[in-house]
Amino acid sequence: MKYDVIAIGNAVMDMIAPVEDSFLTEMGIQKGIMQLIEMERSDMLFSAMGTHRRVPGGSVANTMAGCGNLGLKTAFIGKVCDDEIGRAYVEETRAAGTDCPNDPVKGGELPSSRSMIFVSKDGERSMNTYLGISSNVGPADVPEEVCNEARILFLEGYLYDKDGGKKAFETAARLTRSAGGKAGIALSDPFCVDRHRDDFRKLVKELDYVIGNEHEWKSLYQTDDLSTALEKAAGDSGLIVCTRSGHDVVLVQGNDHASAPVKMVTPVDATGAGDQFAAGFLYGLATGADLATSGRMGCVAAAEVISHYGARPETDLKALFRAEGLI
């Protein structure tokens, strides 16, 4: 197989700028949360942000960057416009070692996605995201030759918010699995689960692995009791992973139950913790590690990314795994 792990998701250029709290007030930005915004507000905030750092982002694209850091061969399937942001997104993704098979779309009706991230002095990040053309990814954007050459496919639950994304998602999963690969999903967030509960329950039964946090699993099975939710999930799915903030990660595959301890770290920036947990876990899955080791790899990768600003690793994750005796 040409690729160890591929992913399909939103291609979002992160634009990060330090600001005073007074700027947030002046711009009417709610501190510390992520808000989806329209193009007009996006243009206004972008023109107001001044000096900033630009980094290709998006949840599963960040995961692919983590997998690439670990030496896996990766590809990211997304959609950008042929504008300055879109061209930079593709060029920088490829330069970082992740294949980006789709070129920027010429004459796209919408501009490329961007997220203006304003970091205040206390470390809080206020994210303002315009999805643009990235949310219009569809089955025509899924390259068959990439899916046919992938051992593992990782899908972003947010894609289900549009019919085109849903069809792209299903096309990629079908192609990858028919070629002998595995396909799985990240549930993305509890509100996403609420919106697509019936579809996600179906996917849990059909896909090879599902990653979610405790809130997402409880939302999926409409219960306040995590044990009940995980028992139902384990009965439905081949492999489930449940992260619990500050507590051991739970992994279940058939009769095989495992947990991975979490070492408490004071976060500098919690953005990307879930994305990099997935990268570490997928590395374990791709290299044949057992459940407990795969979960621990995810925890180590997540701990690294929350130790600094940004959603992508800045340290050699393999070196960290060796230091922990995981490889």
Side-chain angles (χ1 to χ4, degrees), residues 27-28 58 64 158 177 195 247 262 306:
M27 293 291 121
M64 290 307 93
Y158 287 124
R177 298 184 84 207
R195 292 192 296 272
H247 299 281
V262 173
I306 68 173

Side-chain angles (χ1 to χ4, degrees), residues 291-322:
L291 283 186
T293 302
S294 298
R296 185 77 192 110
M297 288 173 168
C299 293
V300 171
E304 189 281 336
V305 82
I306 68 173
S307 70
H308 56 77
Y309 286 118
R312 299 188 170 193
E314 295 181 352
T315 305
D316 181 346
L317 293 178
K318 265 193 178 177
L320 298 180
F321 289 181
R322 288 191 191 97

Side-chain angles (χ1 to χ4, degrees), residues 275-292:
D275 302 340
Q276 296 313 321
F277 172 86
F281 168 76
L282 290 172
Y283 177 81
L285 193 63
T287 56
D290 60 35
L291 283 186

Side-chain angles (χ1 to χ4, degrees), residues 30-85:
Q30 195 169 342
K31 185 175 177 178
I33 68 165
M34 194 284 282
Q35 289 184 306
L36 292 177
I37 57 175
E38 298 301 323
M39 183 163 56
E40 186 177 348
R41 181 157 174 79
S42 169
D43 290 342
M44 185 271 286
L45 291 178
F46 180 59
S47 64
M49 78 185 307
T51 303
H52 61 275
R53 184 163 63 99
R54 191 172 70 184
V55 185
S59 180
V60 300
N62 290 335
T63 298
M64 290 307 93
C67 288
N69 176 290
L70 284 159
L72 298 180
K73 295 175 183 175
T74 58
F76 172 68
I77 300 165
K79 193 165 192 171
V80 298
C81 184
D82 187 18
D83 53 22
E84 182 189 356
I85 290 173

Side-chain angles (χ1 to χ4, degrees), residues 50-130:
T51 303
H52 61 275
R53 184 163 63 99
R54 191 172 70 184
V55 185
S59 180
V60 300
N62 290 335
T63 298
M64 290 307 93
C67 288
N69 176 290
L70 284 159
L72 298 180
K73 295 175 183 175
T74 58
F76 172 68
I77 300 165
K79 193 165 192 171
V80 298
C81 184
D82 187 18
D83 53 22
E84 182 189 356
I85 290 173
R87 290 189 293 272
Y89 190 98
V90 170
E91 289 167 8
E92 291 169 25
T93 298
R94 289 171 176 167
T98 291
D99 192 2
C100 210
N102 295 337
D103 290 326
V105 177
K106 294 186 183 298
E109 293 181 9
L110 295 172
S112 298
S113 171
R114 60 193 179 195
S115 182
M116 274 69 68
I117 303 171
F118 300 102
V119 185
S120 38
K121 288 186 176 178
D122 59 4
E124 286 275 12
R125 291 160 64 96
S126 306
M127 304 172 71
N128 299 263
T129 303
Y130 169 64

Side-chain angles (χ1 to χ4, degrees), residues 11-32:
V12 184
M13 183 68 87
D14 289 342
M15 298 176 171
I16 307 165
V19 295
E20 301 287 343
D21 282 357
S22 57
F23 175 89
L24 302 179
T25 303
E26 182 184 344
M27 293 291 121
I29 296 169
Q30 195 169 342
K31 185 175 177 178

